[in-house]
Amino acid sequence: MPLRPALRRLAVLGLLLGGLSSPLFDAASAHADTPVFPSSSRFGFQPPSDMAPSKRFMGFERLEGGAMVSVVELPGGAYGEIEKSFTDDNLKSQGFAVESRETVKVSGGLEATLLVGGQSPPPAPPADGSGGAAPDAPALPADLPTVRKWLLLVNGPDVTGIVVAQMTPGAETDETMKGMLLGVTLRPALTLDQQVEALPFRINDLAGFRPVRALAGNSLLLTRGASDQPTNLEQPILVLAQAVQQPPTAEQRDAFARAALYSNQTMKDFMIERSQSYRQNGIDWHEIVARANDIPTGQAVVITQTIRFAPDGYLRSLGVVRADQRDQTLALFRQVVDSVQLR
């Protein structure tokens, strides 16, 4: 599938180089005998024995502190465009100072590019609370140090992988980290059913919707209609995504929900019809219904955003439908969301 111009000048970079900060660990040298694959990922590794698949993103981390490895999977054939976009200047603008880059071969003889350098911590958000990270981004630790970072771009036959590893300086040798990355293993594509089964939640009532794509091991795109790739919003779409991070307090939830809604860069001219918190079956929720204009098509749309809060995170749903289809669709969005159970 074609990529948008350099992935919107690599919105991916924001995810890889600034949005996945995590605690760092004192890496152990022991490795498993067989590759470990993060949920839904095609890329497997032999991580240190004290690292485990992350619940927050596709990859590995050790919560006690130390390092992380994250994986982003893109369509096959994206390697050339992404590799050209990974210039030293582009990466530097994201805080990643490249010290070296080389063309390498990884497990199975796949072509790859490895970049090594240092990642500067992102600037602190303004004191007035404006700006800062998107609502779904993991919270950043205070006084985050400059870290050692490795970025591996893998050219698979039908998938492109971007693997990012980072740790505090001196926590492990470059040779050990490089060996871990170059040992990456690619497995066959998972079926959509397998990806859905691996998600951290289960949908008990699809209400006529059907899954069309699982993302990052924690998100699912659904639609209602004949096309798997609806264009021009001829079909309603619904996205469910779970985030494992500290949820906002009750007093912060309305502002949090509005910021999450406004972060959607494909919509403009938001007009909120309703924004309210409520409690249902012992669970805290927040729901927004809003009108907006879809930027690519110029069509008037209606958006419903429902956030289900838990002690260690939240589940966010976002439904989008053409304004002339709202009456028969909004109740169906809610029907799906109400049926979701966390695993």
Side-chain angles (χ1 to χ4, degrees), residues 18-102:
L20 284 179
S21 299
S22 67
L24 303 174
F25 79 109
D26 294 327
S29 59
H31 287 70
D33 293 333
T34 57
V36 178
F37 291 86
S39 178
S40 298
S41 177
R42 296 185 59 188
F43 293 88
F45 303 83
Q46 293 180 340
S49 61
D50 52 0
M51 288 187 77
S54 174
K55 294 182 179 181
R56 304 188 302 133
F57 55 86
M58 186 180 289
F60 298 88
E61 65 178 334
R62 186 173 187 270
L63 297 180
E64 285 76 6
M68 54 81 73
V69 174
S70 67
V71 183
V72 173
E73 298 180 9
L74 299 173
Y79 179 87
E81 182 178 352
I82 302 301
E83 195 273 335
K84 290 179 182 178
S85 297
F86 276 180
T87 66
D88 289 359
D89 287 342
N90 274 350
L91 295 171
K92 187 176 182 179
S93 70
Q94 299 292 329
F96 181 27
V98 177
E99 298 174 4
S100 67
R101 74 170 63 217
E102 59 181 317

Side-chain angles (χ1 to χ4, degrees), residues 38-41 55 57-58 195 198-201 214-219 242:
S39 178
S40 298
S41 177
K55 294 182 179 181
F57 55 86
M58 186 180 289
Q195 296 178 62
L199 290 170
F201 54 84
L215 306 167
N218 67 352
S219 306
Q242 185 177 0

Side-chain angles (χ1 to χ4, degrees), residues 32-274:
D33 293 333
T34 57
V36 178
F37 291 86
S39 178
S40 298
S41 177
R42 296 185 59 188
F43 293 88
F45 303 83
Q46 293 180 340
S49 61
D50 52 0
M51 288 187 77
S54 174
K55 294 182 179 181
R56 304 188 302 133
F57 55 86
M58 186 180 289
F60 298 88
E61 65 178 334
R62 186 173 187 270
L63 297 180
E64 285 76 6
M68 54 81 73
V69 174
S70 67
V71 183
V72 173
E73 298 180 9
L74 299 173
Y79 179 87
E81 182 178 352
I82 302 301
E83 195 273 335
K84 290 179 182 178
S85 297
F86 276 180
T87 66
D88 289 359
D89 287 342
N90 274 350
L91 295 171
K92 187 176 182 179
S93 70
Q94 299 292 329
F96 181 27
V98 177
E99 298 174 4
S100 67
R101 74 170 63 217
E102 59 181 317
T103 300
V104 296
K105 297 289 185 181
V106 297
S107 180
L110 298 177
E111 178 186 5
T113 299
L114 178 66
L115 298 91
V116 183
Q119 178 71 35
S120 301
D128 62 3
S130 63
D136 289 342
L140 297 177
D143 301 322
L144 189 68
T146 298
V147 299
R148 289 291 287 166
K149 179 159 282 189
W150 291 257
L151 193 158
L152 180 71
L153 177 63
V154 183
N155 187 18
D158 58 353
V159 64
T160 299
I162 305 177
V163 184
V164 178
Q166 69 178 34
M167 65 182 184
T168 50
E172 189 50 87
T173 66
D174 284 15
E175 291 76 13
T176 297
M177 186 60 76
K178 181 177 178 179
M180 177 181 170
L181 295 184
L182 297 188
V184 62
T185 298
L186 180 65
R187 65 177 172 179
L190 278 65
T191 66
L192 180 58
D193 286 344
Q194 289 173 322
Q195 296 178 62
V196 171
E197 181 60 29
L199 290 170
F201 54 84
R202 180 175 68 250
I203 303 173
N204 293 319
D205 185 352
L206 289 170
F209 284 84
R210 56 190 175 81
V212 292
R213 185 178 303 168
L215 306 167
N218 67 352
S219 306
L220 184 64
L221 171 66
L222 306 100
T223 190
R224 197 171 192 269
S227 175
D228 285 344
Q229 297 183 353
T231 58
N232 299 324
L233 292 173
E234 77 272 18
Q235 297 173 190
I237 59 173
L238 178 63
V239 179
L240 299 172
Q242 185 177 0
V244 179
Q245 65 184 66
Q246 186 65 37
T249 65
E251 296 77 14
Q252 297 171 328
R253 286 173 185 165
D254 186 73
F256 175 86
R258 290 172 184 256
L261 179 68
Y262 297 151
S263 69
N264 188 325
Q265 298 181 2
T266 66
M267 306 287 177
K268 66 177 183 178
D269 303 330
F270 290 91
M271 295 288 292
I272 292 181
E273 296 181 357
R274 175 165 52 84

Side-chain angles (χ1 to χ4, degrees), residues 271-284:
M271 295 288 292
I272 292 181
E273 296 181 357
R274 175 165 52 84
S275 179
Q276 65 182 35
S277 295
Y278 63 96
R279 190 168 178 83
Q280 178 176 288
N281 299 326
I283 299 171
D284 291 328

